[in-house]
Every structure is written in C-alpha cells, then in structure tokens.
C-alpha cells in the first residue's frame, strides 16, 4: 500500500509531466518561432502563435502546482532546493517573465509596429533559455550535488549546477521540448507544406534528443551515479528504459510513415517514460543522499487535506481543461 | 551595497507591489466585461459588445503580466524566505494549493473567454466570464488568508519552536485573515472601477456625446461606487480585528503611544519616537475609542506597553494608513455624488466638474491598495510570522541579493512602461461617435 507521501510525490511527478508535455511544448513552439526561416517563416510563426495563444497560460499553471505542492508536502526539500539553486531558479523566472510578457506584447501590439519583430525574437529566445534552465534545475536535483555543499559562494551556489550532467540535461530538455512541439504542430495545420516542414523538424529534433539521451545516460555514470544505478541495476529501471526506447522508435516510425497520431502518442510516451524513469530512479529520495519523501514531509494531517484538495481540484480542473482543448484544438485531418 | 535582509525585503515588496496591480485587474476587469456582455445579450446593442471586447483586449495583456509576476512570487517565497516556507509550508501550503486550482480555472476560462467569441454560444461565453470572475475572487481569498495567517498564526501548537498538531483548516476561521479577505476583494473592485471610470471620464471630456464612453462610465462607476461605499465599513471591521488580535500593530498605525481611555484619533501627523508623541496632526478627541469600541471612554492600548524591539517602523506605517483612509473617504464621497447624479439627474456625464473629479480620482484606489499593503506588511515587522519567527531569521543565506533586487526592479519598470504604452495606444483608438450612432439599437433580436 503506498503511503500518503508516495501518493503526493506521484501527484507532483504527474503535474511535472503535464507541465512538460503541455507547457514544455509551448516552449518548444517558441524555439521553432525563433528558428523559422525561409519563405514559410511567416506562416510558421502565425501557426505557432494561434496554436499556443489560448492555452499557454493554463498550461503554465501546472508548474505553479508543482511548486505549491512541493512546499506544502515536502517543505524541507523545497527549502534546500530553493536556497542552493537560487541562481538558476532566478534565471528560470526571468525567462518565464520575459517569455510571457513578450508573447502578450506581440499579440497585443499592432501588426505594423516596429517592435513586432523584437517581441517575437524575445519570445523565442526566452523560450529557449527557460527550457535550458528548467533542464539544468531538474538535472541538478537528479545529480545528488545538493547535499550540503561547503566552501565559498562559488562552490555552494554555482558549482552545484554548472556541471556536465545538469548542462547536458538542459540541452536535452531543449531538444525534447522542440520535438514535442513539432509533433503537435503537425496536427494544428491543414496545409501540406507546413505539415511537411514540421515533420522534418520533428525528425531532426528527435534525432538530436536521442543523441542527448545517450550522452546524458553516459554522464550518469560519473556525475549522477544515484540515478544511473537506480535505472540500470533494477528491473523497474529497465522497464522505463525500454519504454523510452519504444517511444523513440514509435515516434520515428510514425513520422517516417506519416502516421502523425502514432508519432504524437509515441512522443508523449517517450517523454513521460523519461520523467517517470527519473522519478523511480531516485525514489524515495528527493535529494540524494539525505532527503527522502519520508523525512521531509509535512505531517499526515496536512498531507491528507492536500490529497483531498488535489482530488477535488482535479475534478474541477480536468473537465475544464478538456473543454478548453475541445474548443480550440479541433484536430484536423 | 545594501544589507542582504533589506534587499530581500525590498525585492519582496517590489514584486508584490507590482503583482497586485495586475492581480486586481485580473479580478475586477472580467466582472466589468461580464456586465457589458450581459447588457449586450439583453439589449442587442452593439455598443456593449464593443465595450466587452475592448475591455477583454486590455485584460488579456494585464492578465499575462499578472500570471508571470505571480509565478515569480510563488518562487520568491522560497528563494528569499526558505526558513519561513519550511516552517509554514505544512500549515499554509494548503491555501496556496487551493489558490493554484483557482488560477487553473481562471486561466482556462479566460482562454475560452478571450479567444472563444465566435466559437461557443453567447450564454456559454458569458458563463465562462462569470467563472473567470469567481475564480479570480477565490484566488484572492485564499492568498489573503495565507497573509492573514502570517499576521495572526493559528492552527498549531508550539513544541521547541516547531509546529506540532498542525490543523491547516484553522486558517479558514482566522478572524484577521477573514476580515482581510473582504477588505481586499472590495478593494479590487473599488480600484479598478474608479480607474476605468476615470479613463472613460477623460474621453467624455473630449467627446461628451460618445455613447461608448457613456455606457463604459456607467458600468465602471456603479461597480466601483458600490464597493467604495462598503469599503470603510469593511475597513472598520478589519481595524477592530487588528485591535483585538494585534494591538501593537493598531497602535503603530494610529501612532498611539500611551494606553489611555478616551483615545484620540489623529488625522495626518508624524509620530515621533523620541518624544512618544504625534506632531502636526489634527486631533479628534475620543475618536479612536469610539471607532474601535463604539464607546468614547473605552481604553486603547498604546505602543509604550510593548517592548521597543517589537515596534514596526512607525512613520511609514502611520503615513501609509492615513493615505489609505483619505483615499477611501474621497472615493466614498465620489460614489455618493455619482449615485446622487444617477438618482436625481439620470445622467452621469453632463457635469464637466464631476468628470474632472473622476479623472483626478482614477489612481486613488490603486494608491490605497498599495498603501494598505504597506500598512499590513510593514506593520507586521519585525516578524514574518507574528510572535513566532522574525524576518531576520527567515531570510536566505544566499549573498548578494542586491543583484536580483536591481535586476527585477529594472525589469518591472520596463514591463510597466511597455504595458502603459501599449494600453495608451489601445485607448486612443476608441470608436468615434459617428461610427457608433449609426444603426439604431436592435431591440428585436435580443432574448431569443
Ligand atoms: C481601495 C482600496 C482601499 C481603501 C479605500 C481602504 N483600504 Fe484598508 N486596506 C486595503 C485597501 C483599501 C488593502 C490594500 O486591500 C489592505 C491591505 C491588506 C488587506 O487585507 O487590505 C488594507 C488594509 C487595512 C488595514 C490593515 C489590516 C492589517 O494590518 O491586517 C486596516 C486597519 C484598514 N485597511 C482599514 C481601512 C479603513 C478604516 C478604511 C476607510 C476608509 C480603508 N481601510 C480604506
Ligand atoms: C499583493 C499585495 C501585497 C503587497 C503589496 C505586499 C507588500 C509587502 C511589503 C511592502 C513587504 C515588505 C515589508 C518589510 O519588509 O518592511 C512585504 C513582505 C512580505 N510579504 Fe507581502 N504584500 C502583499 C501580499 C502578501 C501576501 C498575500 C503574502 C503571503 C501569503 C505576502 C507575504 C510576504 C512575505 C513572506 C514577505 C517578506 C517577509 C517580511 O518582510 O516580513 N504578502 N510585502
Ligand atoms: C493580495 C494579494 C494577491 C492577490 C489579490 C492575488 C490575486 C491574483 C489574481 C487574481 C491572479 C490571476 C492572474 C491575473 O489576474 O493576472 C493572480 C495570479 C497569480 N498570483 Fe497572485 N495574488 C496575490 C498575491 C500573490 C502571492 C503572495 C503569490 C505567491 C505566493 C501569488 C501567486 C500568483 C501566481 C503564481 C499567479 C499566476 C497564476 C496563473 O498562471 O494564472 N499571488 N494573483
């Protein structure tokens, strides 16, 4: 029987997954906005902004849920992370602020405005940076570098996250977000030219993400041994590795043969398997080697109420979200 | 270089002071839009639809900035005050989680509202506007309850400085928190109502016949006016709660040094710590006792009863309190004037003097909100959780907080400038009289 701590940790991981699958794809779309070139550039940008316009704010709330759940359910772990990762978290926030505002300004500003291009570029750039720092932060948490580092400012607040493993996870995150976005965007347009374009982008970003996946896996050996062992020396770990592999293969096959529903479903599976693989890889630790979900958790009275709120909240939010996507995401062809 | 604690406090204050402006817009603007749209559905007059869509456009940008600045806040609680969050998370985390779900519903239905004009039936569209308003108010309710808990912590027992027997639900029956919530929610409607009314009054001074601005003014002023009539009442309830549960704070905001019966109320004035008196103010004898206890001879505790190291900064708190009250009474007077005009003259826009006053009062609600929060937050010092944890003990060990302080200040200044500029351009292209007085109102297709 899983305890309350396990269930809440599961909820947090689920929110994080949804944030990556939905919000992450919005970042990916921003990256493609930045990279749009050639005769179709304008059409691509148009597609991207209409696709994320109505939904990005709602998608973003998953992150807020992750944060609030973390400090309600596991306050000690939250305090440690937000102290030691002050700098990358601040940079992440900067990215979030710039990206949201630039997108709003872009949509709001008159088309002819001289600043229109600037807002677009800022939106794209900050999407890229935010994705990178999100990856770096998750990578640092995974890397067991956060156990009371000592030394001066640089050792404590900088060298924990400027490390090969977190940086590789940062780049990996960029490729994954870009990949997710392109597989979704194929569904958003009826125009064959754009669909071809995003199919190509999806294949390239998939290839890049697979390469980064291999690099990250290799780096675990020296830089994040905990996760590496969790994944490779335990049968559940292997299940997730195999699921990740299946997701990669399914995405490749779907894109290659123009079965875009298969491609999208596999892309979702691929990314989900990575996140849950990470989760199981370090279970029950939040921060290795000392903070677990058991020794940092709030008392049961809080956890019970939280669980109740979560269930009630989901009963309200999930149908509403469905509504939102039904109104704006009429899947074409 | 400023000291780290000071930098953290300033950063928190700037982030909150920035967020609150967009947050109140996110609460009250959807309400105005819903009223306009409802009038459109009832009367079929295009002008109301035009009003709703234009207000919606402005709201979209405010909401986006509100969402990102709010995200900054939810991280900053941990980034700046990790010890506070570690201590308080199990108790008030529940409120923030509820708030999270309120944001969720708000963001979802705002998306539907803003982008779904032609995609869903009118009544569903109106409904989503209603849901946005309700969830906006709910999110304010939850977050202000969390703040109320910091002012009057409940729902736990202390054991060796740590909370045990935690009962998070007690935050819902916390008197300070509850009184703060109605005061804050009213404040949002006051501030936005008068801001919008002031803007449209400004345009009516130039184009007195423009029905677009006439209707806008009516909706905004009635909304803001009703709330402004209730606001001093709600403020009085809050002040009584503060007097009961944190008498030192009340004494600080009144500049009341010596415990006496028949305490005076001071209008204006600067509290002087060295002499323990207030100078340059207007004294209203027995005022304070009367206001707080309904009895001119009631006794009111003064600052001298409390150890000096627990006093909040007196001058700031007292002045901010005076600014809020003055704004509150001016706005209440404006509301009375406005309702009298509606009642007797059936018209709000004939008198240029009234319109000019409305323009002058446009920022007062926001000013009152900012100063009211200074009263609450600075008045809570030196505590972050009153009686439990001092702000000094809550701050992060991360050095060099001046850097994010400067950075976020510049960032927010930049954002504020851009928002103002965009809104200004949006405002100057309002529909002209000629466009709108074209076809007669189509009463027929309404209420199908
Ligand atoms: C439109 C805005 C507005 C207006 C007109 C008023 N207030 Fe206010 N006031 C606020 C907006 C506000 C606020 C910004 O919303 C605060 C900060 C915290 C809170 O809950 O509300 C607040 C706080 C606040 C506090 C401090 C509570 C605490 O420290 O916990 C008191 C005692 C009052 N108010 C009393 C009044 C009175 C007697 C008013 C009479 C006119 C008044 N307010 C008008
Ligand atoms: C949005 C309206 C608000 C404004 C304008 C505001 C304003 C301020 C100000 C001026 C300070 C600095 C006080 C000082 O150090 O002298 C402050 C501190 C703080 N506020 Fe608020 N506040 C608001 C709402 C809230 C709410 C709802 C919460 C919590 C739930 C909160 C939590 C805090 C915390 C944790 C600090 C830092 C600790 C401290 O200085 O005591 N604030 N706020
Ligand atoms: C009295 C104080 C506050 C009020 C009345 C308030 C109200 C609101 C409202 C109505 C929104 C909706 C978005 C918008 O209107 O732009 C919002 C957004 C937000 N607020 Fe605040 N807020 C307050 C203080 C805080 C504090 C202290 C925090 C952090 C702990 C916070 C966190 C957030 C977050 C995360 C969002 C974004 C939600 C989204 O993505 O849609 N707020 N706030």
């Amino acid at each position: 029987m899983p305890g309350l701590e396990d269930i809440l940790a599961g909820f947090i991981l689920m929110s994080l997954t949804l944030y990556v699958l939905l919000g992450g794809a919005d970042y990916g779309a921003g990256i493609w906005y930045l990279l749009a070139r050639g005769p179709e550039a304008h059409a691509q940008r148009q597609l991207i902004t209409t696709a994320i316009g109505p939904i990005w704010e709602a998608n973003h709330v998953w992150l807020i849920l992750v944060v609030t759940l973390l400090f309600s359910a596991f306050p000690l772990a939250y305090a440690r992370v937000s102290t030691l990762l002050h700098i990358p978290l601040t940079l992440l926030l900067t990215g979030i602020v710039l990206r949201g505002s630039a997108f709003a300004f872009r949509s709001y500003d008159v088309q002819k405005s001289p600043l229109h291009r600037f807002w677009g570029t800022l939106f794209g750039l900050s999407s890229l940076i935010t994705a990178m720092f999100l990856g770096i932060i998750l990578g640092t948490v995974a890397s067991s570098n956060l156990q009371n580092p000592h030394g001066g400012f640089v050792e404590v607040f900088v060298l924990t996250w400027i490390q090969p493993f977190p940086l590789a996870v940062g780049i990996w995150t960029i490729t994954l977000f870009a990949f997710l976005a392109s597989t979704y965007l194929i569904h958003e347009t009826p125009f064959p030219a754009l669909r071809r374009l995003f199919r190509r982008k999806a294949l390239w970003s998939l290839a890049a993400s697979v390469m980064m996946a291999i690099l990250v896996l290799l780096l675990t050996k020296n830089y994040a041994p905990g996760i590496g062992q969790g994944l490779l020396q335990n049968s559940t770990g292997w299940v997730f590795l195999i699921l990740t592999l299946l997701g990669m293969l399914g995405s490749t096959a779907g894109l290659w043969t123009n079965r875009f529903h298969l491609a999208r479903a596999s892309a979702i599976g691929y990314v989900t398997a990575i996140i849950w693989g990470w989760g199981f890889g370090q279970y029950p630790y939040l921060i290795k080697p000392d903070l677990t979900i058991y020794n940092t958790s709030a008392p049961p009275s809080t956890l019970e109420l939280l669980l109740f709120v979560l269930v009630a909240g989901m009963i309200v939010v999930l149908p509403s979200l469905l509504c939102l996507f039904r109104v704006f995401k009429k899947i074409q062809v | 270089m400023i000291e780290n604690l000071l930098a953290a406090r300033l950063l928190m204050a700037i982030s909150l002071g920035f967020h609150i402006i967009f947050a109140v817009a996110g609460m009250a603007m959807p309400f105005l839009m819903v009223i306009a749209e409802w009038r459109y559905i009832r009367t079929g007059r295009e002008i109301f639809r035009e009003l709703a869509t234009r207000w919606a456009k402005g709201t979209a940008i405010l909401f986006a900035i509100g969402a990102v600045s709010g995200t900054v806040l939810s991280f900053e609680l941990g980034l700046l005050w990790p010890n506070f969050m570690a201590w308080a998370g199990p108790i008030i985390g529940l409120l923030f989680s509820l708030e999270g779900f309120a944001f969720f519903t708000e963001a979802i239905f705002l998306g539907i509202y803003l982008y779904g004009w032609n995609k869903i039936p009118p009544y569903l569209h109106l409904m989503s506007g209603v849901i946005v308003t309700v969830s906006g108010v709910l999110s304010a309710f939850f977050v202000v309850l969390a703040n109320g808990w910091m002012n009057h912590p409940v729902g736990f027992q202390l054991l060796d400085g740590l909370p045990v027997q935690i009962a998070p639900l007690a935050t819902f029956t916390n008197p300070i928190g509850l009184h703060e919530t109605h005061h804050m929610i009213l404040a949002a409607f006051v501030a936005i109502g008068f801001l919008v009314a002031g803007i449209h009054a400004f345009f009516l001074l130039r184009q007195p016949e423009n029905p677009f601005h006439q209707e806008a003014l009516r909706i905004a002023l009635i909304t803001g006016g009703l709330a402004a009539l209730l606001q001093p009442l709600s403020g009085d309830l809050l002040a009584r709660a503060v007097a009961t549960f944190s008498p030192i704070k009340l004494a600080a905001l009144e500049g009341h040094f010596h415990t006496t019966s028949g305490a005076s109320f001071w209008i204006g004035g600067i509290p002087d710590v060295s002499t323990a008196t207030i100078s340059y103010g207007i004294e209203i004898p027995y005022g304070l006792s009367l206001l707080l206890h309904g009895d001119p001879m009631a006794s009111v505790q003064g600052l001298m009863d409390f150890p000096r190291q627990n006093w909040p900064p007196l001058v700031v708190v007292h002045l901010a309190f005076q600014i809020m009250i003055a704004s509150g009474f001016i706005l209440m007077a404006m509301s009375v004037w406005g309702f009298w005009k509606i009642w007797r003259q059936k018209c709000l826009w004939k008198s240029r003097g009234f319109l000019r006053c409305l323009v002058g009062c446009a920022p007062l609600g926001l000013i009152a909100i900012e100063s009211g929060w200074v009263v609450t937050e600075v008045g809570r010092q030196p505590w972050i959780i009153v009686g439990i944890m001092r702000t000094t003990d809550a701050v992060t060990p991360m050095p060099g907080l001046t850097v994010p302080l400067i950075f976020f200040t510049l960032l927010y200044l930049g954002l504020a400038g851009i928002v103002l500029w965009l809104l200004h351009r949006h405002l100057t292209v309002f529909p002209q009289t000629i466009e709108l007085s074209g076809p007669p109102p189509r009463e027929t297709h309404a209420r199908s």
Side-chain angles (χ1 to χ4, degrees), chain A residues 193-211:
Chain A
L194 281 179
R195 290 168 72 97
R196 270 199 304 279
L197 211 70
F198 279 106
R199 171 179 173 270
R200 223 178 32 243
K201 288 175 194 276
L203 280 166
W204 279 112
S205 48
L206 175 62
S209 82
V210 171
M211 264 155 32

PDB file of all heavy atoms in Angstrom, chain A residues 193-211:
ATOM      1  N   ALA A 193       2.242  21.911 -46.942  1.00  0.00           N
ATOM      2  CA  ALA A 193       3.625  22.419 -46.910  1.00  0.00           C
ATOM      3  C   ALA A 193       4.097  22.561 -45.469  1.00  0.00           C
ATOM      4  O   ALA A 193       5.203  22.131 -45.111  1.00  0.00           O
ATOM      5  CB  ALA A 193       3.702  23.763 -47.619  1.00  0.00           C
ATOM      6  N   LEU A 194       3.234  23.124 -44.630  1.00  0.00           N
ATOM      7  CA  LEU A 194       3.616  23.305 -43.231  1.00  0.00           C
ATOM      8  C   LEU A 194       3.732  21.960 -42.526  1.00  0.00           C
ATOM      9  O   LEU A 194       4.619  21.753 -41.693  1.00  0.00           O
ATOM     10  CB  LEU A 194       2.584  24.175 -42.520  1.00  0.00           C
ATOM     11  CG  LEU A 194       2.694  25.673 -42.772  1.00  0.00           C
ATOM     12  CD1 LEU A 194       1.597  26.415 -42.038  1.00  0.00           C
ATOM     13  CD2 LEU A 194       4.051  26.179 -42.313  1.00  0.00           C
ATOM     14  N   ARG A 195       2.837  21.073 -42.853  1.00  0.00           N
ATOM     15  CA  ARG A 195       2.907  19.759 -42.200  1.00  0.00           C
ATOM     16  C   ARG A 195       4.210  19.063 -42.553  1.00  0.00           C
ATOM     17  O   ARG A 195       4.864  18.478 -41.686  1.00  0.00           O
ATOM     18  CB  ARG A 195       1.717  18.887 -42.618  1.00  0.00           C
ATOM     19  CG  ARG A 195       0.401  19.386 -42.045  1.00  0.00           C
ATOM     20  CD  ARG A 195      -0.784  18.707 -42.675  1.00  0.00           C
ATOM     21  NE  ARG A 195      -0.938  17.326 -42.266  1.00  0.00           N
ATOM     22  CZ  ARG A 195      -1.755  16.919 -41.303  1.00  0.00           C
ATOM     23  NH1 ARG A 195      -2.478  17.800 -40.653  1.00  0.00           N
ATOM     24  NH2 ARG A 195      -1.842  15.654 -40.993  1.00  0.00           N
ATOM     25  N   ARG A 196       4.619  19.174 -43.808  1.00  0.00           N
ATOM     26  CA  ARG A 196       5.901  18.579 -44.211  1.00  0.00           C
ATOM     27  C   ARG A 196       7.047  19.211 -43.439  1.00  0.00           C
ATOM     28  O   ARG A 196       7.947  18.540 -42.922  1.00  0.00           O
ATOM     29  CB  ARG A 196       6.113  18.786 -45.715  1.00  0.00           C
ATOM     30  CG  ARG A 196       5.546  17.651 -46.567  1.00  0.00           C
ATOM     31  CD  ARG A 196       6.165  17.651 -47.954  1.00  0.00           C
ATOM     32  NE  ARG A 196       6.021  18.919 -48.664  1.00  0.00           N
ATOM     33  CZ  ARG A 196       4.918  19.285 -49.320  1.00  0.00           C
ATOM     34  NH1 ARG A 196       3.869  18.473 -49.351  1.00  0.00           N
ATOM     35  NH2 ARG A 196       4.846  20.434 -49.938  1.00  0.00           N
ATOM     36  N   LEU A 197       6.958  20.528 -43.342  1.00  0.00           N
ATOM     37  CA  LEU A 197       8.021  21.264 -42.661  1.00  0.00           C
ATOM     38  C   LEU A 197       8.170  20.806 -41.209  1.00  0.00           C
ATOM     39  O   LEU A 197       9.269  20.528 -40.728  1.00  0.00           O
ATOM     40  CB  LEU A 197       7.658  22.745 -42.690  1.00  0.00           C
ATOM     41  CG  LEU A 197       8.803  23.714 -42.737  1.00  0.00           C
ATOM     42  CD1 LEU A 197       9.460  23.628 -44.095  1.00  0.00           C
ATOM     43  CD2 LEU A 197       8.268  25.113 -42.523  1.00  0.00           C
ATOM     44  N   PHE A 198       7.035  20.716 -40.524  1.00  0.00           N
ATOM     45  CA  PHE A 198       7.131  20.340 -39.118  1.00  0.00           C
ATOM     46  C   PHE A 198       7.458  18.864 -38.947  1.00  0.00           C
ATOM     47  O   PHE A 198       8.037  18.471 -37.942  1.00  0.00           O
ATOM     48  CB  PHE A 198       5.861  20.751 -38.365  1.00  0.00           C
ATOM     49  CG  PHE A 198       5.887  22.195 -37.982  1.00  0.00           C
ATOM     50  CD1 PHE A 198       5.110  23.131 -38.656  1.00  0.00           C
ATOM     51  CD2 PHE A 198       6.736  22.643 -36.984  1.00  0.00           C
ATOM     52  CE1 PHE A 198       5.176  24.467 -38.328  1.00  0.00           C
ATOM     53  CE2 PHE A 198       6.811  23.985 -36.658  1.00  0.00           C
ATOM     54  CZ  PHE A 198       6.024  24.901 -37.331  1.00  0.00           C
ATOM     55  N   ARG A 199       7.118  18.067 -39.943  1.00  0.00           N
ATOM     56  CA  ARG A 199       7.533  16.673 -39.878  1.00  0.00           C
ATOM     57  C   ARG A 199       9.059  16.596 -39.922  1.00  0.00           C
ATOM     58  O   ARG A 199       9.699  15.874 -39.147  1.00  0.00           O
ATOM     59  CB  ARG A 199       6.929  15.911 -41.060  1.00  0.00           C
ATOM     60  CG  ARG A 199       7.464  14.525 -41.222  1.00  0.00           C
ATOM     61  CD  ARG A 199       6.819  13.805 -42.382  1.00  0.00           C
ATOM     62  NE  ARG A 199       7.466  12.528 -42.619  1.00  0.00           N
ATOM     63  CZ  ARG A 199       8.495  12.377 -43.433  1.00  0.00           C
ATOM     64  NH1 ARG A 199       8.994  13.410 -44.090  1.00  0.00           N
ATOM     65  NH2 ARG A 199       9.046  11.178 -43.600  1.00  0.00           N
ATOM     66  N   ARG A 200       9.626  17.394 -40.823  1.00  0.00           N
ATOM     67  CA  ARG A 200      11.084  17.386 -40.920  1.00  0.00           C
ATOM     68  C   ARG A 200      11.711  17.880 -39.610  1.00  0.00           C
ATOM     69  O   ARG A 200      12.647  17.287 -39.072  1.00  0.00           O
ATOM     70  CB  ARG A 200      11.526  18.257 -42.089  1.00  0.00           C
ATOM     71  CG  ARG A 200      12.613  17.582 -42.868  1.00  0.00           C
ATOM     72  CD  ARG A 200      13.136  18.281 -44.088  1.00  0.00           C
ATOM     73  NE  ARG A 200      13.159  19.709 -44.103  1.00  0.00           N
ATOM     74  CZ  ARG A 200      12.453  20.442 -44.964  1.00  0.00           C
ATOM     75  NH1 ARG A 200      11.660  19.860 -45.836  1.00  0.00           N
ATOM     76  NH2 ARG A 200      12.563  21.754 -44.960  1.00  0.00           N
ATOM     77  N   LYS A 201      11.143  18.958 -39.095  1.00  0.00           N
ATOM     78  CA  LYS A 201      11.676  19.476 -37.832  1.00  0.00           C
ATOM     79  C   LYS A 201      11.569  18.428 -36.732  1.00  0.00           C
ATOM     80  O   LYS A 201      12.470  18.269 -35.900  1.00  0.00           O
ATOM     81  CB  LYS A 201      10.909  20.728 -37.407  1.00  0.00           C
ATOM     82  CG  LYS A 201      11.200  21.948 -38.255  1.00  0.00           C
ATOM     83  CD  LYS A 201      10.300  23.086 -37.832  1.00  0.00           C
ATOM     84  CE  LYS A 201      10.272  24.232 -38.801  1.00  0.00           C
ATOM     85  NZ  LYS A 201      11.354  25.189 -38.659  1.00  0.00           N
ATOM     86  N   ALA A 202      10.452  17.706 -36.719  1.00  0.00           N
ATOM     87  CA  ALA A 202      10.264  16.691 -35.689  1.00  0.00           C
ATOM     88  C   ALA A 202      11.342  15.618 -35.801  1.00  0.00           C
ATOM     89  O   ALA A 202      11.921  15.192 -34.799  1.00  0.00           O
ATOM     90  CB  ALA A 202       8.871  16.076 -35.810  1.00  0.00           C
ATOM     91  N   LEU A 203      11.625  15.208 -37.024  1.00  0.00           N
ATOM     92  CA  LEU A 203      12.635  14.162 -37.181  1.00  0.00           C
ATOM     93  C   LEU A 203      14.000  14.643 -36.717  1.00  0.00           C
ATOM     94  O   LEU A 203      14.724  13.927 -36.010  1.00  0.00           O
ATOM     95  CB  LEU A 203      12.693  13.719 -38.648  1.00  0.00           C
ATOM     96  CG  LEU A 203      11.579  12.736 -39.037  1.00  0.00           C
ATOM     97  CD1 LEU A 203      11.478  12.590 -40.538  1.00  0.00           C
ATOM     98  CD2 LEU A 203      11.847  11.380 -38.378  1.00  0.00           C
ATOM     99  N   TRP A 204      14.360  15.847 -37.099  1.00  0.00           N
ATOM    100  CA  TRP A 204      15.666  16.372 -36.687  1.00  0.00           C
ATOM    101  C   TRP A 204      15.758  16.518 -35.167  1.00  0.00           C
ATOM    102  O   TRP A 204      16.753  16.123 -34.561  1.00  0.00           O
ATOM    103  CB  TRP A 204      15.932  17.728 -37.339  1.00  0.00           C
ATOM    104  CG  TRP A 204      16.422  17.607 -38.749  1.00  0.00           C
ATOM    105  CD1 TRP A 204      15.772  17.978 -39.882  1.00  0.00           C
ATOM    106  CD2 TRP A 204      17.676  17.055 -39.161  1.00  0.00           C
ATOM    107  NE1 TRP A 204      16.528  17.689 -40.988  1.00  0.00           N
ATOM    108  CE2 TRP A 204      17.708  17.123 -40.585  1.00  0.00           C
ATOM    109  CE3 TRP A 204      18.774  16.493 -38.501  1.00  0.00           C
ATOM    110  CZ2 TRP A 204      18.790  16.667 -41.336  1.00  0.00           C
ATOM    111  CZ3 TRP A 204      19.857  16.043 -39.253  1.00  0.00           C
ATOM    112  CH2 TRP A 204      19.857  16.129 -40.640  1.00  0.00           C
ATOM    113  N   SER A 205      14.694  17.076 -34.582  1.00  0.00           N
ATOM    114  CA  SER A 205      14.807  17.290 -33.135  1.00  0.00           C
ATOM    115  C   SER A 205      14.758  15.952 -32.405  1.00  0.00           C
ATOM    116  O   SER A 205      15.375  15.790 -31.345  1.00  0.00           O
ATOM    117  CB  SER A 205      13.724  18.239 -32.644  1.00  0.00           C
ATOM    118  OG  SER A 205      12.469  17.874 -33.136  1.00  0.00           O
ATOM    119  N   LEU A 206      14.044  14.982 -32.974  1.00  0.00           N
ATOM    120  CA  LEU A 206      14.049  13.648 -32.364  1.00  0.00           C
ATOM    121  C   LEU A 206      15.466  13.090 -32.376  1.00  0.00           C
ATOM    122  O   LEU A 206      15.975  12.581 -31.365  1.00  0.00           O
ATOM    123  CB  LEU A 206      13.088  12.728 -33.114  1.00  0.00           C
ATOM    124  CG  LEU A 206      13.097  11.272 -32.658  1.00  0.00           C
ATOM    125  CD1 LEU A 206      12.675  11.174 -31.206  1.00  0.00           C
ATOM    126  CD2 LEU A 206      12.168  10.427 -33.517  1.00  0.00           C
ATOM    127  N   ALA A 207      16.113  13.221 -33.531  1.00  0.00           N
ATOM    128  CA  ALA A 207      17.480  12.708 -33.628  1.00  0.00           C
ATOM    129  C   ALA A 207      18.369  13.395 -32.597  1.00  0.00           C
ATOM    130  O   ALA A 207      19.146  12.745 -31.872  1.00  0.00           O
ATOM    131  CB  ALA A 207      18.018  12.935 -35.032  1.00  0.00           C
ATOM    132  N   ALA A 208      18.230  14.709 -32.499  1.00  0.00           N
ATOM    133  CA  ALA A 208      19.059  15.432 -31.532  1.00  0.00           C
ATOM    134  C   ALA A 208      18.764  14.964 -30.120  1.00  0.00           C
ATOM    135  O   ALA A 208      19.678  14.769 -29.303  1.00  0.00           O
ATOM    136  CB  ALA A 208      18.797  16.935 -31.656  1.00  0.00           C
ATOM    137  N   SER A 209      17.480  14.745 -29.817  1.00  0.00           N
ATOM    138  CA  SER A 209      17.146  14.354 -28.451  1.00  0.00           C
ATOM    139  C   SER A 209      17.665  12.951 -28.143  1.00  0.00           C
ATOM    140  O   SER A 209      18.060  12.666 -27.015  1.00  0.00           O
ATOM    141  CB  SER A 209      15.644  14.456 -28.222  1.00  0.00           C
ATOM    142  OG  SER A 209      14.991  13.318 -28.710  1.00  0.00           O
ATOM    143  N   VAL A 210      17.682  12.084 -29.144  1.00  0.00           N
ATOM    144  CA  VAL A 210      18.204  10.735 -28.891  1.00  0.00           C
ATOM    145  C   VAL A 210      19.697  10.808 -28.605  1.00  0.00           C
ATOM    146  O   VAL A 210      20.207  10.155 -27.684  1.00  0.00           O
ATOM    147  CB  VAL A 210      17.913   9.809 -30.092  1.00  0.00           C
ATOM    148  CG1 VAL A 210      18.632   8.489 -29.927  1.00  0.00           C
ATOM    149  CG2 VAL A 210      16.414   9.595 -30.228  1.00  0.00           C
ATOM    150  N   MET A 211      20.378  11.649 -29.358  1.00  0.00           N
ATOM    151  CA  MET A 211      21.807  11.790 -29.104  1.00  0.00           C
ATOM    152  C   MET A 211      22.066  12.322 -27.696  1.00  0.00           C
ATOM    153  O   MET A 211      22.919  11.820 -26.963  1.00  0.00           O
ATOM    154  CB  MET A 211      22.442  12.712 -30.140  1.00  0.00           C
ATOM    155  CG  MET A 211      23.055  11.907 -31.258  1.00  0.00           C
ATOM    156  SD  MET A 211      23.217  12.751 -32.821  1.00  0.00           S
ATOM    157  CE  MET A 211      23.494  14.424 -32.465  1.00  0.00           C
TER     158      MET A 211
END
